Amino acid sequence: KTDAPTIKEHINAFSHLSLFKTWKINTALGFPTALKSFNFNIIVLHYSLFGHPISLGKHFLSYLGSVKNSYKIAFFQDEHEYWPERAAFINEFDLNCVYSLFEPRYFDATYGKYTKVPKVLYNLTVYVSDQMIDFANQCLKPYDDRKIDVGYRARRLPYYLGRGAQEKSFIAEEFKRRVQNTDLKIDIETNEASRIYGEAWYHFLADCKAVLGVEAGTSVIDFDDVLRAQYAKLCTGPPEISFPQCSFDKFHNNYLTPYEDKIFYRTISPRHFEAAAFRICQILFEGEYSGILKPMEHYIPLKKDFTNFDDVKKMFMDSQLRSKIVDNAYRDLIESGAYSYEKFIQQFDEELIAEGFSPEIDMEESRMVSIQLERGRFRKHLYMLISGFRQLQFPGRKFFKPFLKPILKFLGI
């Protein structure tokens, strides 16, 4: 429930839409013993595995090392850090293909320089799912019935990610400051406690007439993984240089200047597709947005120094202009199907077929694999449910706590 809906939509697209029979394995539920018996033609590692930086236990890593003949594909996001670990993982397990958010012009300077992976393909952070469209249609409200003029959620990001990462919170704070004495009804927050997840996020969007936005990604790529360590050290240092007392500009001038914008790592984000699906007017910092969003056609452009703020506010209040921009975004991003999961998975399948793989499979063999991999699934889900319950704070918790440990031991995986 604390995941963005787009993560599950991305995962499910493979099993729902690919010509290839696909089995999903949630590594949080432990290593399925039966997996040792199978040598799959293709193994896809989803981007959700590479957050901190690699969420794979020793059994999964051992398995990956043992299946020498499998064609191994990894989807990566948040490629701005953990490069030594990322490169070592790619090289140790002989990955055959990487799907990256870096534009092709940077493939040689990134994966080509630091890894031996033979194929790198460009993709977007997310695509448009039928579930998103269905939910948007179910929640759709007339503009006059929406309670929020401008909505937005973001989190403050560490300084070492560069100026681009600071835009996510800066646009919120400056916009709030400038509209505080106006009639605009806003719901804009940047603190972690105000984050919205799951279906609640879609319900929030359905109440917005407009949303703020910036390009996803960062403006600093730390290939040597030194900036994060420097930043962590500074954060525990003297008050005059520690976050948040130290200004971003001071940190930037002292540490980030050699890194800033050396490699462009900015892209369109899931938020932009969601806003288009929910027919919300987007007020965005000027940017490239993967060449997909065009200013005054798909969004109202806001200069990063806010010098055109008054003009932006007037354009938003112009209902005819606002409707035209909303309609254009829905037409080009959603209705066209150009960025649908169907199209993306079709291209994914074509790449595999070009590598010599066939989606044909023996149905009885497929059924047996499914049965083997599903064994113990209910017990594992129950374990995770109770394990999560153990972390909750509620009245009477102390009476339940003694019983949870033996139950988890019994269900242990």
Side-chain angles (χ1 to χ4, degrees), residues 168-409:
K168 296 175 173 63
S169 55
F170 173 68
I171 190 174
E173 293 159 359
E174 184 64 14
F175 197 93
K176 282 180 72 172
R177 187 185 71 80
R178 288 174 179 259
V179 301
Q180 59 185 348
N181 295 321
T182 70
D183 294 333
L184 284 178
K185 298 180 179 65
I186 63 169
D187 191 337
I188 299 171
E189 299 294 344
T190 57
N191 60 77
E192 195 66 32
S194 299
R195 300 280 291 180
I196 306 172
Y197 296 100
E199 291 186 359
W201 171 247
Y202 283 160
H203 286 293
F204 171 77
L205 289 178
D207 245 346
C208 294
K209 297 177 182 178
V211 288
L212 302 179
V214 303
E215 289 179 290
T218 68
S219 53
V220 166
I221 309 297
D222 187 7
F223 289 111
D224 299 319
D225 207 22
V226 297
L227 293 175
R228 182 164 47 89
Q230 286 178 332
Y231 182 76
K233 186 176 180 180
L234 286 173
C235 284
T236 58
E240 66 270 14
I241 60 171
S242 297
F243 177 82
Q245 289 87 352
C246 170
S247 70
F248 172 75
D249 286 338
K250 184 174 182 179
F251 183 85
H252 186 278
N253 293 338
N254 289 342
Y255 295 96
L256 299 184
T257 303
Y259 298 88
E260 189 76 47
D261 285 327
K262 297 302 180 184
I263 289 182
F264 186 83
Y265 190 58
R266 309 299 299 279
T267 181
I268 192 171
S269 87
R271 297 278 184 92
H272 303 120
F273 289 107
E274 290 170 345
F278 278 79
R279 297 179 179 273
I280 301 170
C281 182
Q282 301 187 60
I283 300 172
L284 311 179
F285 271 167
E286 294 175 324
E288 294 187 20
Y289 297 97
S290 304
I292 295 172
L293 297 180
K294 303 291 191 297
M296 295 308 300
E297 184 175 354
H298 303 116
Y299 69 94
I300 297 175
L302 175 62
K303 292 186 180 298
K304 294 181 181 181
D305 60 4
F306 276 76
T307 52
N308 69 332
F309 175 76
D310 290 337
D311 292 333
V312 166
K313 192 170 67 171
K314 290 177 183 177
M315 286 187 282
F316 168 69
M317 299 304 292
D318 184 335
S319 59
Q320 286 188 330
L321 176 62
R322 189 177 63 205
S323 295
K324 183 179 179 181
I325 288 175
V326 167
D327 290 343
N328 289 343
Y330 185 85
R331 179 197 66 209
D332 295 340
L333 274 67
I334 309 300
E335 196 171 39
S336 69
Y339 307 102
S340 68
Y341 270 113
E342 287 84 352
K343 187 166 184 178
F344 164 66
I345 294 297
Q346 179 185 352
Q347 294 169 343
F348 176 81
D349 285 350
E350 289 171 354
E351 289 288 342
L352 293 179
I353 292 170
E355 289 290 337
F357 295 102
S358 170
E360 294 180 6
I361 189 171
D362 181 274
M363 296 306 294
E364 180 59 23
E365 184 181 14
S366 171
R367 188 179 72 85
M368 292 306 298
V369 171
S370 297
I371 291 172
Q372 292 288 328
L373 292 179
E374 287 289 324
R375 284 181 177 171
R377 189 176 180 85
F378 175 76
R379 177 172 58 87
K380 292 176 180 179
H381 276 285
L382 189 59
Y383 176 92
M384 291 299 293
L385 181 65
I386 296 174
S387 181
F389 184 74
R390 186 174 55 173
Q391 311 303 321
L392 298 177
Q393 300 293 328
F394 56 91
R397 180 178 182 271
K398 63 180 180 179
F399 297 108
F400 287 93
K401 190 175 180 181
F403 299 100
L404 294 180
K405 191 171 183 179
I407 292 174
L408 289 172
K409 186 176 181 181

